């Protein structure tokens, strides 16, 4: 039986406007900073301060759950904090300690040795931009030519060896996750040392494309395939110095691991509230993409829960270096019920399959005019699809002739539509649609949003001229809309 997660009541400090005030440490205070809700400083979080490398007094934190059993092999997670943060802050701003309590693994929260900044590789133009000290006197330190000499890389492997000497660690189940600059650190580790981990995960802050792709268009990678999870925020920005817009920058990061892991099939798409998932299965390793609606830079408090349940819980790297992915706590399956279409799409996404439309979908504006000669006011924009296609997917029969059509549903409902009419009839009762039916090339088109909501009872959501509908609460986000567009357009 799983150990129960026990939430500890905290003392709110909503008046706090400082960034990670030290009074949070080893206190019962909790704060809400940019949506990053903190938990009470956990009692099992142990601080270490020692001189370990190059005469530098360093800092890290280790969380060992009460359920730890030295007779059993125990998984290990490294969780890397964001810029200007610390190991203890990464702990209280995430749910890693909660999930560790339930699942029985150990978490290491290192602190970057240079005032909260990890020493990471970056493109020359970006290094020049960051090399000048900012208002706080923080600047990028030189990156060594030999990555094995990087202080923070050496620190990770020192801590790995030390934890293995002190606890009974399952060497097949070692993972790393990071946020923002910690995500950049994790991504660097994945590119160069991913073959020493079973899976890697990160939230926010995509890497600059120049680090990922060479001038020959091939991915730059030294470690080969590894299971990778990327969480992105809908309102986040591209990395500093990135020449691509954020949509393309995120796509370049996604395509990098799809290429390395040889993920050549279409993903399984799932929307769960504001969480948008795309599960990719690769020949060599898997990749999971999560996009969070209406969030900016950072990580959600439940990110650790999703990363563990959908990926880490089922990933192993065997002694021979091969990767094994078994059943996870949550099944990486797409929505059983799904329908997605967008402006200028040649295909629709139906029940997690790409399905050809008889004619391209298009966006239609619902207009309202005020007075003779008055300007038109746009009251809404809707994706229009052939009614015959909707009948083929969800109906029993369809008859269309001379600008009029009758669709009979599988439950017997009879729907009548006509060219130019905003009204329709359902079982001989008049109803209004969101926008009038339009005829193109001899086919009647109606609003996909209206059909999914009114006729099918689905939850339909639209983002960036893409509509997604399913049978439960969901909100489509911008990066998932791009994934669907790239598949279907």
């Amino acid at each position: 039986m799983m150990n129960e997660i026990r939430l500890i009541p905290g003392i709110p400090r909503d008046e706090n406007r400082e960034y990670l005030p030290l009074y949070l440490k080893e206190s019962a205070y909790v704060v809400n900073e940019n949506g990053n809700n903190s938990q009470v400083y956990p009692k099992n979080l142990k601080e270490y301060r020692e001189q370990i490398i190059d005469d530098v007094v360093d800092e890290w934190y280790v969380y060992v759950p009460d359920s730890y059993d030295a007779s059993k092999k125990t998984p290990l997670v490294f969780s890397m904090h964001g810029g200007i943060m610390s190991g203890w802050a990464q702990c209280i701003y995430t749910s890693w300690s909660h999930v560790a309590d339930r699942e029985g693994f150990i978490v290491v929260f290192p602190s970057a040795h240079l005032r909260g900044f990890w020493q990471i590789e970056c493109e020359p133009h970006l290094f020049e931009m960051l090399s000048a000290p900012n208002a706080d006197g923080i600047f990028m330190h030189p990156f060594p030519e030999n990555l094995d000499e990087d202080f923070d890389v050496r620190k990770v492997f020192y801590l790995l060896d030390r934890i293995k000497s002190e606890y009974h660690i399952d060497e097949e189940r070692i993972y790393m996750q990071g946020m923002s600059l910690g995500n950049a650190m994790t991504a660097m580790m994945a590119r160069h040392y991913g073959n020493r981990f079973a899976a890697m995960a990160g939230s926010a802050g995509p890497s600059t494309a120049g680090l990922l792709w060479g001038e020959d268009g091939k991915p730059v990678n030294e470690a080969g395939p590894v299971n990778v999870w990327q969480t992105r925020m809908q309102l986040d920005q591209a990395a500093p110095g990135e020449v691509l817009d954020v949509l393309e920058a995120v796509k370049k990061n996604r395509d990098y691991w799809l290429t390395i892991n040889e993920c050549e099939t279409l993903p399984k798409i799932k929307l769960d509230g504001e969480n948008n998932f795309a599960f990719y299965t690769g020949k060599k390793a898997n990749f999971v993409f999560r996009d969070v609606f209406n969030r900016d830079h950072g990580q959600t408090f439940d990110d650790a829960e999703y990363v563990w349940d959908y990926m880490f819980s089922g990933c192993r790297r065997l002694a021979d270096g091969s990767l094994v992915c078994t059943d996870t706590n949550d099944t990486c399956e797409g929505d059983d019920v799904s329908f997605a279409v967008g402006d200028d799409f040649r295909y629709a996404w139906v029940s997690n399959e790409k399905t050809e439309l008889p004619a391209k979908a298009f966006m239609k504006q619902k207009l309202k005019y005020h007075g003779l000669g008055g300007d038109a006011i746009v009251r809404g924009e809707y994706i229009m699809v052939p009614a015959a296609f909707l009948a083929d997917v969800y109906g029993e029969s369809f008859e269309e002739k001379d600008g009029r059509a009758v669709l009979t549903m599988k439950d017997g409902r009879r729907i009548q539509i006509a060219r130019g009419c905003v009204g329709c009839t359902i079982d001989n009762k008049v109803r209004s649609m969101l926008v009038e039916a339009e005829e193109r090339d001899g086919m009647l088109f109606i609003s996909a949003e209206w059909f999914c909501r009114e006729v099918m009872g689905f939850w339909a959501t639209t983002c960036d001229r893409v509509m997604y509908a399913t049978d439960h609460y969901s909100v489509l986000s911008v990066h998932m809309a791009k994934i669907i567009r790239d598949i279907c357009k």
Side-chain angles (χ1 to χ4, degrees):
M1 181 178 178
M2 287 187 178
N3 298 300
E4 182 182 14
I5 294 174
R6 294 187 62 83
L7 300 178
I8 306 301
I11 303 172
R13 289 293 297 265
D14 291 339
E15 72 277 10
N16 169 64
R17 292 297 179 266
E18 299 178 57
Y19 188 70
L20 292 173
L22 285 176
Y23 66 71
L24 290 178
K25 192 174 179 182
E26 299 180 2
S27 77
Y29 288 116
V30 290
V31 297
N32 183 353
E33 185 274 320
N34 192 27
N36 295 314
N37 295 301
S38 74
Q39 59 162 307
V40 172
Y41 196 98
K43 65 179 179 63
N44 284 18
L45 185 64
K46 184 175 179 180
E47 178 183 283
Y48 293 84
R49 284 180 177 273
E50 297 180 21
Q51 180 178 309
I52 58 175
I53 299 173
D54 297 343
D55 298 327
V56 175
V57 176
D58 220 326
E59 173 188 279
W60 68 95
Y61 297 78
V62 179
Y63 187 86
V64 180
D66 290 333
S67 62
Y68 172 70
D69 184 346
S71 68
K72 298 179 181 180
K73 290 183 177 181
T74 302
L76 176 65
V77 175
F78 280 82
S79 187
M80 317 301 280
H81 64 74
I84 329 180
M85 290 179 67
S86 61
W88 67 264
Q90 177 71 355
C91 179
I92 69 169
Y93 269 20
T94 70
S95 53
W96 277 116
S97 60
H98 290 319
V99 183
D101 283 339
R102 188 188 69 212
E103 302 288 338
F105 57 82
I106 292 173
V107 192
V108 179
F109 299 96
S111 295
H113 80 286
L114 185 66
R115 302 181 68 181
F117 276 74
W118 299 107
Q119 182 173 345
I120 60 170
E121 61 181 342
C122 58
E123 296 180 68
H125 71 278
L126 181 57
F127 179 83
E128 292 174 3
M129 183 179 74
L130 297 176
S131 61
N134 63 16
D136 297 321
I138 298 173
F139 57 90
M140 182 69 74
H141 46 179
F143 187 76
E145 292 185 9
N146 182 357
L147 188 60
D148 292 338
E149 298 176 0
D150 179 283
F151 184 95
D152 290 327
V153 169
R154 293 161 64 197
K155 177 176 178 175
V156 166
F157 289 122
Y158 168 85
L159 293 178
L160 175 57
D161 290 339
R162 176 161 171 165
I163 296 297
K164 287 195 297 185
S165 70
E166 296 176 353
Y167 300 95
H168 193 181
I169 298 301
D170 187 344
E171 298 199 33
E172 295 181 353
R173 305 188 67 193
I174 298 172
Y175 315 96
M176 180 176 285
Q177 178 270 346
M179 188 276 288
S180 187
L181 187 59
N183 172 56
M185 178 68 180
T186 302
M188 181 183 74
M189 295 291 295
R191 292 192 297 273
H192 297 281
Y193 304 100
N195 54 354
R196 300 182 63 174
F197 296 83
M200 317 287 276
S203 175
S207 302
T208 52
L211 289 176
L212 307 177
W213 300 93
E215 294 182 359
D216 58 0
K218 296 181 180 180
V220 179
N221 184 278
E222 295 182 0
V226 61
N227 298 297
V228 170
W229 173 292
Q230 288 182 346
T231 294
R232 300 300 183 221
M233 304 295 168
Q234 175 173 275
L235 304 179
D236 202 357
Q237 302 298 311
E242 178 60 88
V243 296
L244 302 173
D245 66 34
V246 65
L247 281 174
E248 285 301 315
V250 169
K251 183 179 187 299
K252 285 287 187 181
N253 278 253
R254 185 168 60 244
D255 288 347
Y256 176 85
W257 286 109
L258 296 181
T259 302
I260 296 292
N261 292 347
E262 296 187 13
C263 302
E264 298 173 353
T265 59
L266 294 176
K268 297 176 181 178
I269 294 175
K270 174 180 179 178
L271 269 63
D272 179 12
E274 296 186 345
N275 296 289
N276 290 226
F277 298 99
F279 303 108
Y280 295 85
T281 300
K283 293 180 180 179
K284 295 184 176 180
N286 296 334
F287 176 79
V288 177
F289 182 84
R290 174 186 176 226
D291 191 26
V292 186
F293 175 79
N294 199 34
R295 277 297 306 268
D296 56 14
H297 191 75
Q299 61 191 346
T300 61
F301 189 73
D302 55 7
D303 193 63
E305 177 74 57
Y306 287 117
V307 169
W308 181 266
D309 282 358
Y310 282 110
M311 179 167 277
F312 285 6
S313 63
C315 294
R316 293 178 178 272
R317 186 178 288 276
L318 305 183
D320 63 4
S322 60
L323 291 165
V324 176
C325 296
T326 57
D327 292 338
T328 53
N329 286 2
D330 276 326
T331 305
C332 297
E333 295 290 342
D335 288 323
D336 291 333
V337 175
S338 62
F339 182 86
V341 71
D343 184 29
D344 203 35
F345 278 22
R346 194 66 184 85
Y347 296 85
W349 185 254
V350 183
S351 300
N352 268 283
E353 293 185 0
K354 181 179 177 180
T355 306
E356 188 172 7
L357 292 161
K360 279 188 177 182
F362 63 92
M363 180 75 81
K364 182 178 178 64
Q365 293 182 333
K366 180 178 182 178
L367 303 177
K368 183 174 179 62
Y369 299 86
H370 283 286
L372 298 176
D375 292 334
I377 298 175
V378 177
R379 294 300 194 193
E381 294 184 320
Y382 306 102
I383 306 296
M384 305 291 284
V385 296
F389 179 76
L390 297 171
D392 184 57
V393 175
Y394 297 111
E396 184 70 28
S397 65
F398 185 74
E399 301 174 6
E400 183 173 12
K401 186 178 181 181
D402 299 331
R404 176 181 172 275
V406 176
L407 187 163
T408 303
M409 301 299 293
K410 294 178 180 179
D411 60 7
R413 285 177 296 165
R414 188 171 182 271
I415 302 170
Q416 179 186 195
I417 58 175
R419 178 181 58 238
C421 292
V422 74
C424 67
T425 64
I426 302 179
D427 289 339
N428 212 31
K429 292 183 178 293
V430 178
R431 302 294 293 269
S432 288
M433 297 188 292
L434 293 174
V435 67
E436 65 270 17
E438 182 171 329
E439 187 178 38
R440 290 191 177 186
D441 299 324
M443 287 183 284
L444 283 172
F445 288 70
I446 62 174
S447 161
E449 292 92 335
W450 174 81
F451 181 86
C452 288
R453 293 169 182 163
E454 183 78 13
V455 178
M456 300 304 299
F458 293 165
W459 186 284
T461 171
T462 302
C463 177
D464 201 14
R465 304 171 80 85
V466 177
M467 186 218 72
Y468 185 95
T470 187
D471 59 355
H472 55 268
Y473 167 65
S474 57
V475 186
L476 182 65
S477 58
V478 65
H479 295 296
M480 186 58 65
K482 179 167 179 56
I483 289 176
I484 296 172
R485 182 183 298 107
D486 288 345
I487 291 172
C488 295
K489 188 170 181 180

